[in-house]
């Protein structure tokens, strides 16, 4: 209790505590990635150098400059989506469907990095396209997320009227919603990517999360292998999956943020030795949301999500 009282008297700002937790969390993540991937990266480099020596010893007519020239050709071909395994030509990355998917990755800020505009006009257009497209995408996704939330609340209210149990009904509806979203936006795409891309299930689920969280490393990108022939509906399915998956995952992340904010509030009240706020009737509100949030939620439920 003495440490608690000293810190309470010192009145340490919560932003400093959160900042310290954030920095420690990032550093811990860096250490874990360093331990998991550091030795493997060294092995990959040594294996790559060994393969380089084997290639130079097998093809004696190929010098160091020739090897660098071949590597440059392979790099340039991968940037435009061309395959060097045969003499057949392809449309590359910049066909209509791939260009539409690229435009979607720009406004959603995924940015895989596997393709990018190289012309001056394309680069300038990309700047203005993203400048207006990113806010538009955020507004649309926010509206779609609210629409999903309204549907969830209507189902919850309907079941609550049938059962008369509020807490159990809301928990059940939230659980079914999360599980359904996980199946629809993670499990089903994982199976589709495993079949059409040849990835393992772990690689496919990794790609799903990296894409829908807009991290977009670019180490795995669907519909980008020049050696594969994809069906016409594949790009349309990908664009639809990205759009609705972003809205669903953003809704889940917002719920997680809300939970963390409530935990932070309860922690600060406990740290300051205050009791949780109670209703005017003397009973604690069974819903952890504040009264103001409840009113806003009820108003939002009654309103149509589309203006």
């Amino acid at each position: 209790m003495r440490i608690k009282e000293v810190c309470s008297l010192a009145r340490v700002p919560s932003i400093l505590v959160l900042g310290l937790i954030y920095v420690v969390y990032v550093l811990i993540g860096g250490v874990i990635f360093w331990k998991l991937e550091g030795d493997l990266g060294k092995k990959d480099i040594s294996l790559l150098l060994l393969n380089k020596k084997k290639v130079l010893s097998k093809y004696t007519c190929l010098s160091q400059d020739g090897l660098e020239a071949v590597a440059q050709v392979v790099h340039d071909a991968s940037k435009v989506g061309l395959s060097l395994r045969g003499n057949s030509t392809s449309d590359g990355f910049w066909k209509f469907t791939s260009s539409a998917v690229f435009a979607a990755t720009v406004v959603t800020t995924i940015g895989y990095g596997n393709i990018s505009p190289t012309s001056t006009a394309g680069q300038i257009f990309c700047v203005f396209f993203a400048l207006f497209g990113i806010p538009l995408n955020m507004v649309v996704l926010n509206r779609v997320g609210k629409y999903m939330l309204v549907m969830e609340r209507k189902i919850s209210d309907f079941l609550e009227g049938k059962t008369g149990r509020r807490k159990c009904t809301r928990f059940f509806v939230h659980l079914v919603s999360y599980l359904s979203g996980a199946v629809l936006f993670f499990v089903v795409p994982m199976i589709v990517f495993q079949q059409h891309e040849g990835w393992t299930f772990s690689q496919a689920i990794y790609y799903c999360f990296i894409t829908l969280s807009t991290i977009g490393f670019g180490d795995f990108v669907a519909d980008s292998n020049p050696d594969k022939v994809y069906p016409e509906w594949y790009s349309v399915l990908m664009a639809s999956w990205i759009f609705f998956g972003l809205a669903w995952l953003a809704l889940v992340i917002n719920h997680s943020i809300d939970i963390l904010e409530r935990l932070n509030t309860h922690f600060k009240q406990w740290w300051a030795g205050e009791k949780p706020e109670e209703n005017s009737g003397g009973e604690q509100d069974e819903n952890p949301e504040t009264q103001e949030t409840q009113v806003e939620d009820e108003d939002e439920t009654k309103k149509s999500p589309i203006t």
Side-chain angles (χ1 to χ4, degrees), residues 40-236:
L40 184 61
K42 293 179 181 179
K43 293 180 181 179
D44 292 339
I45 293 175
S46 59
L47 182 61
L48 181 61
L49 293 176
L50 181 60
N51 291 334
K52 175 185 175 182
K53 291 181 180 179
K54 290 181 179 180
V55 170
L56 291 176
S57 61
K58 182 177 181 179
Y59 302 99
T60 56
C61 61
L62 188 64
S63 61
Q64 178 66 29
D65 295 336
L67 181 62
E68 293 178 359
V70 172
Q72 185 64 38
V73 172
V74 174
H75 178 267
D76 294 339
S78 64
K79 290 292 290 183
V80 297
L82 297 179
S83 175
L84 298 177
R85 293 185 177 182
N87 295 325
S88 59
T89 59
S90 61
D91 296 332
F93 281 142
W94 295 109
K95 52 186 178 181
F96 173 72
T97 54
S98 299
S99 301
V101 173
F102 170 76
T105 61
V106 171
V107 297
T108 55
T109 68
I110 296 175
Y112 290 121
N114 60 324
I115 60 175
S116 57
T118 56
S119 64
T120 303
Q123 292 172 349
I124 294 176
F125 173 75
C126 184
V127 171
F128 289 98
F129 180 74
L131 184 64
F132 295 99
I134 292 175
L136 176 63
N137 175 76
M138 295 178 64
V139 171
V140 174
L141 287 181
N142 184 41
R143 181 60 59 180
V144 172
K146 287 183 178 180
Y147 189 81
M148 292 180 179
L149 189 60
V150 168
M151 293 179 60
E152 182 179 321
R153 285 174 178 168
K154 287 184 177 180
I155 295 175
S156 178
D157 293 339
F158 174 77
L159 294 178
E160 182 183 343
K162 295 292 185 180
T163 60
R165 297 182 178 181
R166 182 176 184 179
K167 285 187 176 181
C168 295
T169 302
R170 287 183 178 272
F171 175 78
F172 176 75
V173 171
H174 281 304
L175 180 62
V176 172
S177 176
Y178 291 155
L179 292 179
S180 301
V183 171
L184 183 61
F185 297 114
F186 282 90
V187 178
V188 174
M190 177 185 65
I191 298 174
V192 173
F193 292 141
Q194 192 274 335
Q195 293 179 351
H196 287 82
E197 301 293 341
W199 299 337
T200 63
F201 287 114
S202 60
Q203 291 173 341
I205 198 71
Y206 163 79
Y207 167 76
C208 290
F209 182 79
I210 293 301
T211 296
L212 296 184
S213 60
T214 70
I215 297 175
F217 288 129
D219 48 353
F220 292 95
V221 181
D223 195 20
S224 63
N225 191 344
D227 297 319
K228 291 183 178 293
V229 178
Y230 298 98
E232 293 295 333
W233 52 265
Y234 194 66
S235 298
V236 179

